[in-house]
Amino acid sequence: MSASAAAGVKMVSARPCITASQGMLASRAAVSRIETTARFASCPKICCSRPLSSKRAGFVVRAMSGESGPQGLPIDLRGKRAFIAGVADDNGYGWAIAKALAAAGAEILVGTWVPALNIFETSLRRGKFDESRKLPDGSLMDVVKVYPLDAVYDSPEDVPEDVKSNKRYAGSSNWTVKEVAETVKNDFGSIDILVHSLANGPEVTKPLLETSRRGYLAAISASSYSYVSLLQHFLPIMNPGGASISLTYIASERAIPGYGGGMSSAKAALESDTRVLAFEAGRKGKIRVNTISAGPLGSRAAKAIGFIEKMIEYSYVNAPLQKELLADEVGNTAAFLVSPLASAITGSTVYVDNGLNTMGLAVDSPTITS
């Protein structure tokens, strides 16, 4: 669920950020056990929001060495560059997806909600995320560059004066969607993968009947239109054959009491937009567009809804696969979806929830158990 529930960075000006998009996003854990038989080269460098050399020597994490040929069917993203919007800590789905893509060989760029930028970059520099940066081979994920981003605003003209003067935005510039896309183009020329892992519903704890127009529209703006805007501005710099993914939640199609403030509506819009964007981006730029509907996971962001632990317990008891859902499982699915292995998959909502979405009856219901 995004700030309103979900794992990435939440984007509503002058409000505490809640990361990650998708329903109860977040996660615990180390990402990706992508089954590649290859070996990975260590890339411990971290570069924050400062200009980088266009050559970027030494930044790419290599998924497979040339010493031995690949066996089986590995996910190989070597030579690909990914921009992941909505990473503000090492706890959510955005981080998990970044690790999975890095483990497969992709170069990682991230967009971080402006008020969370300093803390995130400082934690990276001081090694606070080193343990969670570890890839399957023991090397560290390399975050090539961190960009300030507030996806609620498309261009500088959209930013109200109270936000421009807000001290939480002081010291940062070029953080609207249009400006970030232009900066990435200037720094790197192009990208191959775009990930939307952010959402926010300022009134998520309110029932829909008590949600204000302002709160409802804020949820739609931050959680669904932000994806339209990102793809709109990044599509011109995406290489043909690339892919984009977002994170959604089952509340888009089922009633989840407590997941309010218009967030269920925002997720429904996100899934509908995924289908339309798949057609438009596919015809215009040969880009695939999919969304991942993940089950409930415990994270800082998901705690905003107030009952995440109960949802995790409900899922464990009632899902076909009675096991804990981990962030790396979402990360691995994302790596597959943006890889050549999924070259014919677009416009889809892919469920990563231990099968909970298939259930029409709660097996732990008192009516059933009695």
Side-chain angles (χ1 to χ4, degrees):
M1 305 198 192
S2 103
S4 30
V9 166
K10 107 187 236 177
M11 307 223 134
V12 163
S13 66
R15 285 196 180 92
C17 162
I18 300 181
T19 76
S21 131
Q22 123 86 43
M24 317 219 161
L25 312 190
S27 58
R28 67 177 61 196
V31 178
S32 114
R33 295 185 194 279
I34 295 178
E35 297 186 8
T36 2
T37 54
R39 309 177 68 185
F40 304 97
S42 169
C43 291
K45 283 189 174 184
I46 294 178
C47 181
C48 297
S49 54
R50 296 175 180 73
L52 295 179
S53 164
S54 59
K55 295 182 179 180
R56 305 178 310 284
F59 281 112
V60 180
V61 177
R62 303 207 175 267
M64 287 186 271
S65 70
E67 298 175 5
S68 60
Q71 300 174 17
L73 194 64
I75 292 178
D76 185 1
L77 297 177
R78 290 174 297 176
K80 305 295 184 182
R81 183 176 301 114
F83 181 87
I84 304 169
V87 180
D89 55 36
D90 62 344
N91 181 249
Y93 281 154
W95 181 268
I97 291 172
K99 286 188 64 178
L101 302 188
E107 187 176 50
I108 305 300
L109 313 176
V110 303
T112 299
W113 190 51
V114 185
L117 183 68
N118 288 335
I119 294 177
F120 180 67
E121 287 189 329
T122 299
S123 295
L124 277 174
R125 285 196 300 269
R126 295 181 178 178
K128 292 185 177 180
F129 296 154
D130 283 1
E131 185 61 32
S132 58
R133 285 173 60 211
K134 286 185 179 178
L135 298 176
D137 70 336
S139 63
L140 300 181
M141 172 179 68
D142 179 24
V143 178
V144 177
K145 187 168 181 179
V146 180
Y147 292 86
L149 170 68
D150 192 329
V152 166
Y153 305 107
D154 301 320
S155 65
E157 296 72 32
D158 300 324
V159 184
E161 287 301 322
D162 63 320
V163 174
K164 291 180 181 179
S165 60
N166 191 306
K167 64 180 181 180
R168 303 175 79 185
Y169 287 74
S172 294
S173 60
N174 301 321
W175 43 259
T176 63
V177 177
K178 179 181 179 181
E179 292 173 302
V180 173
E182 291 174 345
T183 305
V184 171
K185 179 182 179 180
N186 292 334
D187 290 344
F188 299 97
S190 65
I191 64 171
D192 304 277
I193 299 164
L194 176 66
V195 179
H196 176 276
S197 178
L198 54 90
N200 176 55
E203 298 180 18
V204 65
T205 58
K206 290 184 178 181
L208 189 57
L209 278 174
E210 298 175 15
T211 299
S212 69
R213 181 184 296 271
R214 182 176 181 178
Y216 184 94
L217 294 178
I220 294 289
S221 174
S223 309
S224 51
Y225 185 77
S226 58
Y227 187 38
V228 176
S229 180
L230 280 166
L231 195 52
Q232 179 184 111
H233 289 90
F234 275 87
L235 186 61
I237 67 170
M238 292 186 72
N239 295 316
S244 180
I245 56 174
S246 63
L247 291 164
T248 185
Y249 178 55
I250 193 65
S252 62
E253 54 188 280
R254 311 260 177 105
I256 305 294
Y259 190 67
M263 278 305 301
S264 57
S265 307
K267 292 303 180 182
L270 182 65
E271 292 178 21
S272 176
D273 291 344
T274 294
R275 293 184 286 273
V276 178
L277 291 172
F279 173 77
E280 295 182 356
R283 292 298 181 92
K284 187 174 183 178
K286 298 187 184 330
I287 300 299
R288 295 182 297 105
V289 182
N290 295 290
T291 188
I292 296 174
S293 182
L297 292 170
S299 74
R300 299 184 190 96
K303 290 178 181 177
I305 63 170
F307 61 97
I308 184 63
E309 294 302 330
K310 292 182 180 179
M311 290 302 295
I312 292 174
E313 181 181 359
Y314 177 88
S315 178
Y316 183 86
V317 173
N318 293 288
L321 296 179
Q322 200 169 20
K323 67 177 185 62
E324 180 182 16
L325 179 65
L326 301 176
D328 63 326
E329 294 174 301
V330 172
N332 291 344
T333 300
F336 161 72
L337 285 174
V338 302
S339 78
L341 297 180
S343 59
I345 301 176
T346 192
S348 297
T349 296
V350 179
Y351 297 91
V352 184
D353 62 357
N354 288 327
L356 185 63
N357 72 93
T358 66
M359 300 299 293
L361 184 68
V363 297
D364 64 345
S365 169
T367 304
I368 303 300
T369 57
S370 61

